[in-house]
Amino acid sequence: MGYTKDQLLARLKELQIDFVCYDHPAVLTVEAQAKYVGHLGGALSKNLLLKDKKHRYYVVSALANTNIDLKVLSQRLGLGKGGLRMAAEEALQEILQVPLGCVTPLALINDSARDVSLLLDQGFKSQQSCYFHPLTNEVTLSISASSLDKFLISIGRQPSYVDLEANPAVGKDNPPDLASLAPSGVPTLPDKVENAVTSIPTGNDGLTVKKPTKLAGEAKSPAALQKEKLQKVQSSIDPLAEATNIEKLVKEIMDKTSTAFLNEITKDLNDPQIAPSVSDVVKRRVSSDLEHMMMSLKNAAYTQGFQAGFQATLRSSLQSISMQK
Amino acid sequence: MAEEPTKAGYAGGGDREGDDEQVVNPWEVTAKDGGKIDYDKLIEKFGCQRLDESLVRRVERLTGRPAHVFLRRGVFFAHRDFNEILDVYERGEKFFLYTGRGPSSEALHMGHLVPFMFTKYLQDAFKVPLVIQLTDDEKCMWKNLTVEESKRLARENAKDIIACGFDITRTFIFSDFSYVGGAFYENMVKVAKCVTFNKVVGIFGFTNEDHIGKISFPPVQAVPSFPSSFPHLFSGKDDLRCLIPCAIDQDPYFRMTRDVAPRIGYQKPALIESSFFPALQGETGKMSASDPNSAIYVTDSSKDIKNKVNRYAFSGGQDSIENHRKYGANLEVDIPVKYLGFFLEDDAELDHIKKEYGAGRMLTGEVKKRLVEVLSELVERHQKARALVTDEVVDAFMAVRPLPQMFG
C-alpha cells in the first residue's frame, strides 16, 4: 500500500531531480550505513520518528553529528518539558510505512504520513549532497538539499529548516519558537490555524508558515486567514463576556418570541403573509426598549458585585491589620 | 489639510465684529443678526471637514449595522480625522471614545442628551471603551458655583448620562475635582507648557481681567484625549487613538489639543462634531437651561411635553388653513419637523411627513402630535432608566478600576 523504492525513484525522475543511489546490505544504524557510504563525501543523516502526548508525530532529520536534545526540542515546539518521545516501532510501519531503521523524510510521500510534521536540520543546506534512505534500508539516496525541497514541495509540503542545536529560552516572554511546526489535524483545520497563529512569537504574520497538513486545495488566501484570526481573537471564549452581550441576548429573546408568536398566529390568519411583517415591526419596537432595560440590569448587577467585592476586600484588609497588632 | 481656521486669529469670543459675525465658542453661540447658524461657514472657519455620505456608508459597512439616526440625518456633520479612525478600526486595531459634560445645572434637556445618545451608539457599534469627563471645576469657575455644589451637580448629571445606556464594563466616568492628579496632571503640565498666553487669548478670547483659573483650564479638557492620562485603563497602550464626539462649539479645545499633541509625542485626537439642537422657539442658537420653555427637559411629564410643544414649538406652517393648504409649510424654520429629524427613527415616515407637510396636505397639529408621541416615549424610557441609577451605580462607574472587557 505504501510507496516502494522504485515508485519513489520514478517520481524523482519525473520531477527531474538529480540523485544517486548506492546499494548495500540492510543497515539499521548510521554507523553501519557509514561503513558503506561514509567515505563518499556526502552528509549522512540521522532520522527520528517522534511522538508527543497528543499522539502527533514528527520526523526529525539531522546531520549525523548534530546534537539533538529531545527536552529542548519539546519545549521549542511548545510541548512543555518531556513532551517528546521516540515513537513505537509499530508507528514506523503504520504511519511512515517503512521498516525499522529506515526513517526518512522521503516517507512523507505516503498519505498515511500526511499529519506528520517534518523538521530538517539547517545544516543540510550547506552540504553538497545528503544521504537518506529511499524507503528501504538497502539503498542510500544521495540528493542535494534543494532537490529534497523540490520533492517535498511536490508532495504539498513546505520544507522547514531549523537550527536543531539551538537552545533558546522558552518562557512567558519568549514563546516556543518552533510552535508553528507542531502538526494540526486536517478536519479541525480552522481552529488549529487559530491556535498555531496566535502562538507565533512575531505576531500578525502567521501566514508565512504553511501548515504541512494543508493539501493544495484547502489553502486559504492570506486575507481570509487574517480575517479568521481576527474574528477568533475577538470572539475569545470568555463565557462572562458572552453572557453579558446585551445585543445578542435581546436578539435571541426576540427571535424566540416572534417565532412562537408567528406559529400560533398563522394558524388562525387568513393571510399568513401578514404575520412575518407584523412580527418584524413588533421586534423593532420592543428590541430597543428591551436593550435599554437589559443595560440597566447589567449596570445594576455589576454595581452590586463591585460593592460586594469592595466590602470583602475591606474586611480582609481590616482583619489583617488587626491581626498585625 | 487646513488645520487652522482661514482667518487670522480664531473663532473666539475675543474676535467679535459686532453682530456681523456669528459667534461660536464653548461659552457662547449666537448666530449672525439673530438668524441661523451658518454651518458651512463654520466648517470653513474652523478648518474641519464635512462628514459626507461615503463616510456614513463606510461606517455601516464596518460596523455591520445601520448608521445611527444622527449620522443618517446629518446631525453629526463635521469631523477631523474620522476616516483615520475608521482605517485604524478596519486594520483590527482599537481606539477609545472621549466625551464630557460641564455640569452647570441639574436639569438636562434633550439637546444635552444628543452627544451622549450618539456616543452610546458608537460604543455599541465599535465595541470600544469610553471616558466621560465631568468638568465640575470649569463650572465652579465660570458659573461661580461653590465647589460642593459643582461636585453635587456633577454626580446628578452623571445619573442622567448613565441612564442613556452606557455599558459599565466599558465606561469610566470621572469628575475633575476627584480625578485630576497623577498621570493626568503630568499631561496637563506637558500641554500647558506648549500653549502661550497669547494663544489661549486668541483661541478662547480671554482678557486681562479673567482670573487665572479660567486661563489655565483648557489643558484639563485637552488631556483626556491621551491614553496615558488613564494609567489604570490604558497602561502600555500609548498609541491608542482617541475619537471625540462633541458639539461643534467645543472645537477650539481640540484644535489646541491637536496642535500640541505631536509636540509632546502623542497622537492627535479625532473629532466627530454635531450641529446645535435648536431651541423650541426657533433656530437662533443653543437651548438655554435658564429658560424652561425653550426646551424639553428629561424631567418633563408627557403633559408638560404636550403643553410645551403645542404652545412654544415654533411652527413653519402658514397662519390660516387655506394658506397652509395653498403654500405648504416652511420646513426650513419649522421646529417640530426638525425635532422629528433628530428623534424619529423611521426614515420613510419622516420623508412622508416632510412631503405632506411641505405640500400643505398635513397640518401643523398632526406633526406636533407625532412629535409629542416620539418625545414622550423617549423621555419616559429615560426616566425609567434614570430611576435605576442609584448613588452606588454612580460610584461604580466613577471608581478608578480596570476594565478588562473594554475591547471585548
Side-chain angles (χ1 to χ4, degrees):
Chain A
M1 215 184 57
Y3 279 74
T4 64
K5 171 200 83 170
D6 292 329
Q7 287 170 327
L8 172 68
L9 297 182
R11 174 70 74 84
L12 293 178
K13 288 206 185 96
E14 267 175 58
L15 293 167
Q16 297 184 327
I17 288 179
D18 289 340
F19 63 88
V20 183
C21 272
Y22 303 102
D23 291 22
H24 48 68
V27 291
L28 289 180
T29 62
V30 176
E31 295 81 69
Q33 189 184 24
K35 274 198 278 196
Y36 300 105
V37 294
H39 60 286
L40 295 173
L44 285 159
S45 66
K46 63 182 173 198
N47 300 271
L48 310 171
L49 180 65
L50 304 172
K51 181 178 122 158
D52 69 16
K53 293 186 178 162
K54 293 186 183 171
H55 308 290
R56 300 181 299 190
Y57 290 87
Y58 306 75
V59 165
V60 176
S61 185
L63 291 173
N65 44 22
T66 297
N67 270 329
I68 301 182
D69 184 340
L70 287 191
K71 286 197 290 288
V72 170
L73 209 51
S74 172
Q75 285 213 301
R76 288 174 72 188
L77 283 164
L79 306 171
K81 299 187 191 169
L84 272 182
R85 302 266 154 100
M86 300 287 287
E89 278 180 40
E90 294 80 41
L92 263 74
Q93 205 30 264
E94 253 178 55
I95 297 186
L96 293 184
Q97 300 197 65
V98 294
L100 200 56
C102 195
V103 178
T104 167
L106 300 159
L108 269 52
I109 194 176
N110 285 317
D111 194 45
S112 52
R114 69 180 172 281
D115 290 347
V116 176
S117 207
L118 176 64
L119 276 76
L120 295 166
D121 188 343
Q122 71 184 21
F124 284 135
K125 291 212 250 189
S126 51
Q127 299 293 328
Q128 268 211 317
S129 46
C130 312
Y131 291 161
F132 302 102
H133 283 307
L135 306 181
T136 168
N137 283 338
E138 295 172 341
V139 181
T140 292
L141 184 76
S142 170
I143 188 177
S144 70
S146 50
S147 295
L148 178 65
D149 290 355
K150 197 169 169 193
F151 165 75
L152 289 171
I153 291 172
S154 79
I155 57 170
R157 296 296 195 124
Q158 188 75 354
S160 339
Y161 288 92
V162 172
D163 179 1
L164 289 170
E165 287 188 324
N167 187 356
V170 173
K172 196 170 68 123
D173 297 322
N174 302 310
D177 66 316
L178 299 179
S180 57
L181 299 178
S184 55
V186 171
T188 49
L189 190 55
D191 280 345
K192 292 298 173 77
V193 166
E194 179 248 337
N195 285 336
V197 166
T198 51
S199 59
I200 288 180
T202 47
N204 284 335
D205 195 14
L207 308 167
T208 48
V209 177
K210 191 158 162 223
K211 306 305 297 162
T213 53
K214 250 203 292 260
L215 307 172
E218 280 175 296
K220 289 204 179 145
S221 73
L225 267 177
Q226 182 79 338
K227 187 154 177 262
E228 236 175 42
K229 180 198 113 172
L230 287 176
Q231 282 167 352
K232 294 288 176 173
V233 169
Q234 278 166 5
S235 63
S236 59
I237 327 145
D238 176 9
L240 291 185
E242 290 291 300
T244 49
N245 184 341
I246 290 182
E247 275 172 32
K248 202 158 156 264
L249 279 169
V250 169
K251 186 167 184 306
E252 272 182 52
I253 294 174
M254 294 309 299
D255 284 343
K256 279 201 163 84
T257 314
S258 72
T259 314
F261 233 107
L262 274 178
N263 283 338
E264 288 307 307
I265 289 187
T266 44
K267 289 181 194 164
D268 295 328
L269 272 185
N270 288 334
D271 178 7
Q273 289 303 94
I274 302 179
S277 64
V278 168
S279 104
D280 277 340
V281 170
V282 169
K283 260 197 220 182
R284 256 183 299 137
R285 291 187 63 160
V286 180
S287 289
S288 174
D289 277 342
L290 194 52
E291 276 176 23
H292 271 75
M293 286 161 65
M294 300 273 274
M295 188 62 86
S296 292
L297 170 64
K298 180 176 180 182
N299 291 343
Y302 178 107
T303 300
Q304 290 172 327
F306 185 77
Q307 293 230 296
F310 185 69
Q311 294 297 329
T313 317
L314 204 54
R315 290 193 64 176
S316 85
S317 305
L318 288 174
Q319 270 173 2
S320 66
I321 290 179
S322 68
M323 286 196 320
Q324 277 171 25
K325 291 189 184 148
Chain B
M1 181 188 66
E3 188 70 45
E4 304 292 308
T6 52
K7 278 178 112 171
Y10 293 72
D15 99 319
R16 287 159 147 281
E17 283 144 37
D19 283 342
D20 260 2
E21 269 312 308
Q22 61 188 12
V23 174
V24 176
N25 66 48
W27 303 285
E28 184 183 351
V29 174
T30 343
K32 176 172 149 172
D33 283 340
K36 270 181 17 169
I37 298 282
D38 185 339
Y39 288 107
D40 286 318
K41 263 210 183 138
L42 200 54
I43 288 186
E44 208 195 299
K45 191 167 194 178
F46 281 0
C48 44
Q49 321 248 268
R50 264 243 174 229
L51 227 177
D52 58 32
E53 268 299 300
S54 63
L55 266 181
V56 178
R57 297 290 145 253
R58 191 175 173 203
V59 169
E60 289 188 332
R61 250 193 352 260
L62 285 176
T63 56
R65 64 179 71 194
H68 190 267
V69 171
F70 294 162
L71 269 179
R72 299 202 307 266
R73 310 269 170 80
V75 172
F76 276 82
F77 71 110
H79 75 97
R80 292 185 191 273
D81 288 349
F82 183 49
N83 51 317
E84 273 183 41
I85 293 288
L86 295 179
D87 291 339
V88 159
Y89 183 76
E90 198 164 25
R91 287 201 295 270
E93 290 164 33
K94 296 294 186 171
F95 62 94
F96 75 101
L97 295 164
Y98 155 41
T99 192
R101 166 158 171 81
S104 54
S105 61
E106 205 153 343
L108 267 89
H109 55 62
M110 298 304 287
H112 292 135
L113 293 189
V114 164
F116 292 110
M117 290 163 76
F118 188 64
T119 306
K120 173 193 155 61
Y121 150 78
L122 289 173
Q123 181 177 66
D124 290 343
F126 289 98
K127 301 208 190 330
V128 287
L130 162 68
V131 301
I132 302 181
Q133 179 183 43
L134 297 167
T135 56
D136 39 9
D137 53 348
E138 184 210 353
K139 291 310 172 189
C140 176
M141 289 193 276
W142 263 269
K143 301 281 179 175
N144 199 17
L145 304 169
T146 63
V147 170
E148 289 72 32
E149 180 63 2
S150 40
K151 280 161 80 168
R152 187 189 73 82
L153 286 177
R155 282 186 67 95
E156 285 306 305
N157 283 185
K159 292 183 184 167
D160 280 298
I161 292 172
I162 291 170
C164 290
F166 291 108
D167 185 335
I168 199 171
T169 61
R170 276 202 252 268
T171 308
F172 173 56
I173 301 181
F174 65 101
S175 85
D176 291 341
F177 276 132
S178 307
Y179 191 68
V180 169
F184 193 92
Y185 183 62
E186 288 170 18
N187 279 341
M188 278 169 57
V189 172
K190 285 187 191 174
V191 168
K193 282 168 73 172
C194 293
V195 185
T196 62
F197 179 67
N198 277 337
K199 199 138 195 203
V200 282
V201 166
I203 301 177
F204 297 107
F206 296 138
T207 67
N208 285 348
E209 272 62 58
D210 283 317
H211 59 69
I212 56 178
K214 288 189 182 181
I215 299 168
S216 49
F217 175 75
V220 180
Q221 190 158 322
V223 308
S225 331
F226 307 133
S228 55
S229 303
F230 304 101
H232 66 287
L233 294 178
F234 303 129
S235 152
K237 297 195 176 71
D238 279 346
D239 263 349
L240 193 63
R241 297 294 308 258
C242 177
L243 174 66
I244 308 180
C246 60
I248 196 164
D249 63 345
Q250 303 295 312
D251 193 86
Y253 280 117
F254 304 115
R255 240 173 17 239
M256 176 196 80
T257 312
R258 285 169 60 90
D259 191 51
V260 169
R263 291 193 269 155
I264 53 180
Y266 288 150
Q267 298 267 33
K268 295 184 189 181
L271 276 93
I272 182 166
E273 296 161 302
S274 70
S275 56
F276 302 114
F277 193 65
L280 218 40
Q281 293 102 331
E283 186 139 32
T284 47
K286 268 161 66 162
M287 277 182 169
S288 163
S290 46
D291 177 4
N293 291 324
S294 67
I296 306 290
Y297 287 91
V298 298
T299 44
D300 285 343
S301 64
S302 326
K303 202 156 144 240
D304 293 330
I305 296 177
K306 186 165 169 197
N307 205 22
K308 286 188 189 180
V309 168
N310 283 334
R311 285 239 203 111
Y312 302 108
F314 187 81
S315 167
Q318 302 299 335
D319 42 14
S320 67
I321 294 194
E322 297 83 47
N323 279 344
H324 185 83
R325 298 265 187 229
K326 210 162 160 196
Y327 301 114
N330 180 359
L331 297 180
E332 279 300 301
V333 303
D334 186 271
I335 288 296
V337 155
K338 283 208 193 292
Y339 274 33
L340 284 173
F342 278 79
F343 299 119
L344 180 59
E345 293 252 354
D346 189 343
D347 287 340
E349 192 187 344
L350 182 67
D351 284 338
H352 174 84
I353 292 178
K354 279 182 167 171
K355 189 158 143 240
E356 298 298 288
Y357 190 45
R361 288 187 289 271
M362 195 185 277
L363 298 179
T364 302
E366 286 176 66
V367 181
K368 284 192 173 183
K369 183 156 165 270
R370 186 67 182 114
L371 177 61
V372 168
E373 271 171 29
V374 167
L375 287 176
S376 301
E377 221 180 279
L378 256 174
V379 167
E380 219 181 283
R381 189 167 74 183
H382 183 93
Q383 285 167 357
K384 281 213 183 92
R386 170 73 154 84
L388 297 175
V389 179
T390 63
D391 280 308
E392 289 82 22
V393 176
V394 175
D395 288 335
F397 265 94
M398 294 183 69
V400 178
R401 69 211 188 279
L403 298 176
Q405 257 74 51
M406 61 177 159
F407 293 119

